[in-house]
Amino acid sequence: MTATCREPCCSVAPRMTVAELFERGFRRSREPLRAIVGATCTSAEDNTAAFSLDIVDGRISAVGFHASCCATLIAYCEYIAEVAPGFELAIARELTAANLVASVPGVPAPKRDRAVLAIAAFRAALLAADDLQRGEPNNESRLHLRHAAP
Amino acid sequence: MKVAYIFATQRHNISYVLAKMILPQLEQKRHGVDVVGMFFFEDNNYVLVDGNPIGARLHKVAKETGMLLMGCDQCCYEREIADKLFPGVPIGCFPDLYQALAGNMPDQVITL
């Protein structure tokens, strides 16, 4: 029998600091997209984000994303990608930008609007998943986010 | 002439080059050029943490002259100081730096 590794490399839960979320998110953002791809959302500063999902039995099983190379945006997207698996779509829709800001401390106020973009892109992927389940393809290829949402 | 400084290396740049050369000259208004911006990488960002004595002098000069101070966002996040900088000092990456300097473009960029 092989004992579970208790070294720091294996036994420590991943930290949710911006720096470490960015490190993990940077790698994830270079991976191929998942099966269901949401529309690309663009902020007023021309940052972009697009999420993709795998859905099994009505629950999110995996999340991918592609985002502009902005550390804050990638960290927010990575947080969503790490917490959303296991959620039903209806539950996932309840995640807000305010939740995201509260869950990822250490971001200065002027950069927190990236949470709005991340959530908009995530919801676009949820919308694509809904449409797919209803058999209605979403023809909107690009969402433009110009105003902050709660 | 307008210049911008990028503090990219970590030897004595802050404690010596900035604190004992550039900053006193700026305070005495005899630096010889207009410094329109300073951008900080890696451990150099600690000078921007609110309460740092060198940073406090630099922040005062920046407020008086309109000089941009900006920290590298990834460097600040890595050090968990991004939300602990002097009031009004932004963090960002190259696009943010270029955008911030666009209205007051330097003639020379000096990397230290």
Side-chain angles (χ1 to χ4, degrees):
Chain A
M1 179 179 149
T2 304
T4 303
C5 175
R6 294 185 182 278
E7 293 299 314
C9 56
C10 297
S11 62
V12 177
R15 296 180 70 212
M16 294 294 190
T17 63
V18 182
E20 297 196 22
L21 285 166
F22 169 71
E23 287 292 330
R24 298 194 292 273
F26 190 75
R27 287 193 293 274
R28 190 191 301 266
S29 70
R30 298 167 69 90
E31 293 173 355
L33 291 170
R34 303 284 173 175
I36 301 168
V37 181
T40 299
C41 294
T42 306
S43 73
E45 293 176 313
D46 274 340
N47 280 310
T48 62
F51 275 85
S52 60
L53 308 172
D54 286 340
I55 308 286
V56 176
D57 296 333
R59 290 178 185 269
I60 296 169
S61 61
V63 179
F65 67 86
H66 286 172
S68 307
C69 192
C70 163
T72 313
L73 175 62
I74 289 174
Y76 280 141
C77 290
E78 176 63 15
Y79 180 86
I80 294 170
E82 291 186 12
V83 301
F87 285 5
E88 293 176 359
L89 298 184
I91 299 294
R93 262 192 296 275
E94 298 300 314
L95 189 62
T96 66
N99 297 147
L100 203 48
V101 168
S103 301
V104 183
V107 177
K111 295 283 185 184
R112 290 177 195 153
D113 61 347
R114 270 67 167 172
V116 177
L117 175 59
I119 288 293
F122 182 55
R123 288 178 178 170
L126 295 172
L127 187 64
D130 280 341
D131 289 344
L132 198 67
Q133 288 183 338
R134 287 197 303 265
E136 298 171 6
N138 184 346
N139 292 324
E140 191 170 16
S141 61
R142 193 172 178 84
L143 289 175
H144 290 272
L145 180 70
R146 294 295 179 197
H147 302 288
Chain B
M1 184 171 68
K2 297 177 182 177
V3 305
Y5 288 114
I6 295 182
F7 291 89
T9 57
Q10 299 186 157
R11 291 172 62 203
H12 283 168
N13 274 337
I14 298 301
S15 64
Y16 191 64
V17 179
L18 176 61
K20 293 194 167 66
M21 295 180 189
I22 296 171
L23 182 54
Q25 292 164 5
L26 289 174
E27 289 171 329
Q28 295 165 18
K29 298 182 173 48
R30 57 177 193 86
H31 187 52
V33 294
D34 292 333
V35 182
V36 296
M38 293 186 180
F39 189 83
F40 298 84
F41 281 107
E42 302 189 53
D43 284 352
N44 296 322
N45 282 286
Y46 285 113
V47 78
L48 299 177
V49 173
D50 197 354
N52 180 289
I54 298 170
R57 291 166 53 199
L58 190 63
H59 190 227
K60 181 170 181 284
V61 169
K63 283 199 295 189
E64 289 169 358
T65 63
M67 176 176 71
L68 170 75
L69 298 176
M70 183 181 285
C72 158
D73 56 0
Q74 290 185 41
C75 306
C76 290
Y77 283 136
E78 192 176 6
R79 289 158 181 77
E80 300 185 16
I81 58 172
D83 57 344
K84 299 178 175 66
L85 306 187
F86 285 99
V89 174
I91 59 169
C93 200
F94 289 106
D96 305 297
L97 176 63
Y98 297 143
Q99 186 177 17
L101 289 176
N104 195 13
M105 208 49 115
D107 301 303
Q108 302 281 345
V109 176
I110 313 291
T111 302
L112 294 170

